[in-house]
Amino acid sequence: MNSRFKAWRHNLAWTLPMVAVLAGCTGGDSSKPKTHALATYSSATWEALPAVSDNDLVAGFGSWRSACTRLKADPVWGGTCAASVNVQPTANDIRGFLKQNLDVYGLRAANDNPNGLITGYYEPVYPGSLTQTEEANIPVYGVPEDMIIVSLDSIYPELKGKRLRGRLEGRVLKPYDDAATIETNGVKAPVIAWLTDPMNLQFLQIQGSGRIQLDDGRQLRIGYADQNGHPYRPIGRWLVDQGELKKEDVTMGAISTWAKANPARIPELLGSNPSYVFFTRNPDSNEGPRGSLNVPLTAGYSAAVDRKVIPLGSLLWLSTTRPDGSALVRPVAAQDTGGAIAGEVRADLFWGTGEAAGQLAGDMKQQGQIWMLWPKGAALPQVPQVADTAKANP
């Protein structure tokens, strides 16, 4: 968000504008790769949905409805939100409302596969200080004073929401520093707080929001403000490439254990991910962190999604398992995004704040299915086309 690592959310390759220009000059090249829709929506009946408990139904609906303050003018969800105002928080009333107002669509990958990856995230709490000390010496930066942000959709509508980030050198806009450079040389930015462990900063950037536990007992809440424009590369993937971990063993816990055993290699590990997140201080509150819809996330019932496939504000029916293998079936609200959350059938479930939530989130790497509950009569989302993996015939 403003929570879940928006760092990765708003990434954009610096070559995109040139790619767009070149694409417009290729004419009728028969070797142009074939494309397919990133995802498809398969119409389903309400009876096809796996059963959920009454408690989960009420909680999931409540999570979705909490965002209606932001969706009241939305062309797709505004009417449904308005109609939901008088729905009583009982399972029977909610079921009746959903069936009357929404249709069911199963998400499918390009090969018509209904299965996808369901992961988890959380709001961490890390020790730190408002001033630099011998122990707390890892800066948490705000937005740099010299970083320039360029929106591209006025020229390239297909790049709506995408931005370039850089620094002016003379009259030339050049890419902003990558993470390794920032960690080595610092940056012209305010320091919000200081952490005691560089790995805590990395995990804070991945989660996109968190709390810093101060010595006087207070907790400082911080959230995503911006990102340096470089692509996100998972540090777990680097450990796999280095032969340090097996792919199936990559979790936050495993990464932390490796870092503690190899402190001299931490800069190398962190430098493998060029993306860097800048934060802002959030008001003190006991509510969940705010996601991309700018509403507090609900533990267990808010999810980050790929907005190219699932529009923010959507109500989803999720069927997956917990890390221990027990079933997890419930409605959840699409209220957040994340650059690492991309693909056809993909969701990242918010588990809450603190160590227990972090354990669940760190171990969550499950197969699952997603159904999208969509307002009756509303046009389905226009999903972008992506290139086929196989090369086009000459």
Side-chain angles (χ1 to χ4, degrees), residues 51 55 61 86 113 143 198-199 206 230 249 297 303 308 328 380-381 384-385:
N55 287 340
F61 180 76
N86 296 320
N113 186 354
V143 178
M199 293 305 299
I206 292 172
H230 287 264
D249 295 335
L297 302 176
K308 297 188 299 295
L328 192 156
L380 286 169
Q385 296 286 314

Side-chain angles (χ1 to χ4, degrees), residues 112-312:
D112 202 37
N113 186 354
N115 296 310
L117 177 63
I118 312 299
T119 52
Y121 69 109
Y122 77 115
E123 183 184 35
V125 181
Y126 294 129
S129 172
L130 292 177
T131 58
Q132 185 176 11
T133 67
E134 185 175 348
E135 289 186 351
N137 54 19
I138 307 298
V140 179
Y141 287 118
V143 178
E145 302 166 1
D146 58 348
M147 188 170 74
I148 294 175
I149 302 171
V150 181
S151 296
L152 299 172
D153 51 8
S154 61
I155 300 176
Y156 304 104
E158 67 274 18
L159 299 180
K160 182 178 180 180
K162 301 297 184 181
R163 299 174 180 177
L164 294 176
R165 292 164 175 82
R167 176 194 291 110
L168 276 178
E169 294 186 10
R171 298 180 62 186
V172 178
L173 181 65
K174 294 192 174 183
Y176 206 76
D177 293 341
D178 63 12
T181 303
I182 293 173
E183 287 161 0
T184 300
N185 300 332
V187 69
K188 294 180 181 178
V191 177
I192 297 175
W194 301 83
L195 297 177
T196 61
D197 187 334
M199 293 305 299
N200 289 350
L201 178 61
Q202 180 70 188
F203 291 139
L204 189 64
Q205 293 190 48
I206 292 172
Q207 300 304 320
S209 66
R211 306 186 190 201
I212 298 175
Q213 182 70 54
L214 305 177
D215 287 340
D216 63 6
R218 291 183 298 150
Q219 288 187 347
L220 181 72
R221 300 195 71 174
I222 61 173
Y224 172 92
D226 217 316
Q227 188 254 1
N228 66 343
H230 287 264
Y232 166 60
R233 295 195 179 101
I235 56 176
R237 184 180 301 166
W238 182 84
L239 289 170
V240 173
D241 292 342
Q242 295 290 310
E244 298 293 331
L245 290 178
K246 294 181 179 179
K247 183 178 180 180
E248 60 271 20
D249 295 335
V250 173
T251 64
M252 286 180 58
I255 294 172
S256 295
T257 298
W258 182 91
K260 290 175 182 177
N262 298 273
R265 298 192 68 188
I266 288 177
E268 186 182 0
L269 170 69
L270 299 181
S272 70
N273 173 25
S275 182
Y276 196 94
V277 177
F278 306 109
F279 291 92
T280 185
R281 181 170 178 172
N282 289 335
D284 294 340
S285 171
N286 290 323
E287 62 188 15
R290 290 178 177 264
S292 299
L293 272 179
N294 197 27
V295 295
L297 302 176
T298 304
Y301 298 93
S302 293
V305 298
D306 185 345
R307 66 196 309 170
K308 297 188 299 295
V309 177
I310 302 171
L312 285 175

Side-chain angles (χ1 to χ4, degrees), residues 44 46 61 64 76-77 80 94 96-105 315 372-377:
W46 278 94
F61 180 76
W64 169 79
V76 173
W77 285 103
T80 307
I94 291 170
F97 171 81
L98 296 179
K99 291 181 179 180
Q100 181 179 352
N101 290 276
L102 304 175
D103 288 327
V104 180
Y105 294 91
L315 181 58
M372 186 170 67
L373 310 187
W374 195 248
K376 291 181 183 293

